[in-house]
Structure formats: structure tokens, C-alpha cells
């Protein structure tokens, strides 16, 4: 391990209220939920690039670790719910199969038992496996601070590479998925990586199409942020063929060369995924 822990401070609030009061002091506090990303930074000696003062949310599990369906049919996922909590929940398995699939391909079982969806969102990696599925389901985030709260669309949350609209005094408290609108056979999820498991995605995609003008398409690892390809969605909803949809998609994604893959490979894979999606999910 390449990090000297004596150089860092970690606060351990015992309740949500205490955590938000700590954040209201103006100090820059890096929240720790499952800690799976923090451990990587610590081992690589990069912890100082993120911050010097951390805030453990572990004791908040009694308030924020839940997966439930409310009286209006919305799925609510607490900020400390793990991938395993989500993938094994009966309502999720029944109504949100892409979310189950994406949770199953995130890391190994140890990561799934410890890591949280909210933490993965806040971390802001464009390669996050669950975010495209959540975007297709029109997920919203509840952001809270010591004096109030606000709700933002997940598709509007990211502002740049590992950057988002979350303020220093705020935490993500909940992920909200509206009542499902797509049948299981109208949904499509695909992750392409070096291996079948424990691999960071080279391209990740989630899409749904009910054939009645409701089309959702979200991509990861092909731009600085996970994004909805809204122009391509509109074209597909209007009946565009695969080649025409692909021409539009190329104006919305900006893949790069990096340690995991190349721009050309990502473009070829994206084109094939798009064609496969259009072929398997009826227009």
C-alpha cells in the first residue's frame, strides 16, 4: 500500500443529521460508502489527489440502506444499498432486469457486497456499469443537505469527467426509478470488456424501445460522461434504419484511445451494439 494513512483524517458521523451538519461547516469532505474506489486510490498512492479529509457513511446504513417500492409504484434505492441488495431484490428482478444484469457484471461478488450504486454514481466514472441502465429507467437522484433537499435527473447529473452538480454540503440520499414502462423483451443491456467478469468496460450500453415512440439509449465508456444519446433516440423513435441511426450516434459519442481500448474499436463496437439493439428490440 502506497499511502501513509497518518496524513489523512476520517470523520465518522453516527446519523444522517450529523453527517449533513459536518458537511455544512464548509470543509471539503470526501464521502466513503462502500469504500471500493477509495481502497484503489489508497493502494495506488493517489488518495491525496482526491482529498485529505474523508467522511465515512457506514453508520448511516440503518437510515439509508434499503430497496423498496413505494405506494405509487416507484422503486427507491437508498444511498447505502449495495449491488447485491439491488440484484437480489424481487421487485428489481421483476421490473428492472437491466439493473440486475448491470449489478451482476460490476466487479466481483466482494465488490457487489460492499459497493453502492450511489457511490458509483458520485464517483463519476464514465465506465460505471449500472449508470446506463439507471438512465434508461429515467432515474432521479435525491440530494440532501442540512437545510433541505432537491431532486435532479440522473441524465443531467454529470457535468464533465468525474464532475457533477453535487455541492460540497450535499450527499446523494436516494435513487428513484419511476414505475416501469418497458416490458422485459423491450429492454437490452450489453457490456463489452476484456473478460466476462471483473473487467472495466470498454463500451457499455442500455436501451429500451416500446415501439410506441418511447425510446431510451444510454452509453458508457464512449465519452467523458455516461450519456443519453437523445438525438439517436428521436431518430429511432421515428423509424430510422440502423445506418441512419449510426450516422447520428457518431455526432453524440466521442470515444478515445486509452489503456483499455482504442477509439476505433469503441466506434466499431458501438455500431454493432446499436444494430443488435435495433434488431432485437422491435421498433
Amino acid at each position: 500500500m502506497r499511502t501513509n494513512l497518518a496524513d489523512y483524517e476520517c470523520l465518522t458521523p453516527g446519523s444522517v443529521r450529523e453527517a449533513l451538519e459536518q458537511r455544512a461547516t464548509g470543509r471539503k469532505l470526501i464521502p466513503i460508502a462502500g469504500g471500493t474506489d477509495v481502497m484503489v486510490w489508497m493502494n495506488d498512492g493517489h488518495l491525496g489527489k482526491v482529498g485529505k479529509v474523508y467522511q465515512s457513511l457506514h453508520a448511516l446504513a440503518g437510515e439509508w440502506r434499503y430497496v423498496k417500492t413505494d405506494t405509487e409504484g416507484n422503486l427507491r434505492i437508498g444511498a447505502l444499498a449495495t449491488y447485491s441488495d439491488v440484484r437480489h431484490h424481487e421487485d428489481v428482478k421483476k421490473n428492472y432486469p437491466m439493473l440486475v444484469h448491470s449489478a451482476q457484471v460490476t466487479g466481483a461478488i466482494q465488490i457487489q457486497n460492499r459497493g453502492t450504486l450511489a457511490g458509483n454514481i458520485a464517483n463519476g466514472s464514465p465506465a460505471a456499469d449500472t449508470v446506463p441502465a439507471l438512465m434508461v429507467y429515467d432515474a432521479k437522484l435525491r440530494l440532501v443537505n442540512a437545510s433541505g433537499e432537491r431532486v435532479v435527473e440522473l441524465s443531467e447529473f454529470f457535468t464533465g469527467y468525474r464532475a457533477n452538480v453535487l455541492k460540497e454540503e450535499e450527499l446523494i440520499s436516494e435513487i428513484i426509478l419511476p414505475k416501469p414502462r418497458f416490458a422485459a423483451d423491450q429492454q437490452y443491456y450489453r457490456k463489452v470488456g476484456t473478460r466476462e467478469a471483473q473487467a472495466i468496460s470498454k463500451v457499455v450500453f442500455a436501451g429500451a424501445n416500446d415501439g410506441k415512440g418511447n425510446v431510451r439509449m444510454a452509453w458508457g465508456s464512449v465519452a467523458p460522461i455516461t450519456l443519453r444519446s437523445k438525438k439517436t433516440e428521436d431518430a429511432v423513435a421515428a423509424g430510422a434504419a440502423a445506418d441512419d441511426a449510426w450516422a447520428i450516434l457518431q455526432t453524440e459519442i466521442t470515444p478515445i484511445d486509452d489503456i483499455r481500448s482504442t477509439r476505433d474499436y469503441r466506434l466499431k463496437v458501438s455500431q454493432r451494439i446499436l444494430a443488435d439493439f435495433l434488431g432485437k428490440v422491435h421498433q
Side-chain angles (χ1 to χ4, degrees), residues 53-89:
V53 185
Y54 289 78
Q55 183 187 50
S56 172
L57 306 181
H58 183 73
L60 281 56
E63 298 175 80
W64 278 1
R65 185 174 179 177
Y66 58 83
V67 182
K68 61 185 180 183
T69 300
D70 65 22
T71 56
E72 297 178 353
N74 302 309
L75 183 72
R76 296 181 176 271
I77 303 172
L80 295 181
T82 67
Y83 295 102
S84 293
D85 292 336
V86 169
R87 62 175 288 203
H88 293 302
H89 194 277

Side-chain angles (χ1 to χ4, degrees), residues 235-272:
V236 171
D243 287 345
D244 294 330
W246 170 237
I248 296 170
L249 180 63
Q250 291 179 78
T251 69
E252 298 190 277
I253 62 175
T254 55
I256 62 172
D257 296 331
D258 64 14
I259 193 171
R260 294 194 311 279
S261 190
T262 66
R263 175 183 181 275
D264 288 344
Y265 178 81
R266 288 184 164 109
L267 285 171
K268 290 177 182 178
V269 168
S270 298
Q271 182 180 18
R272 293 178 181 178

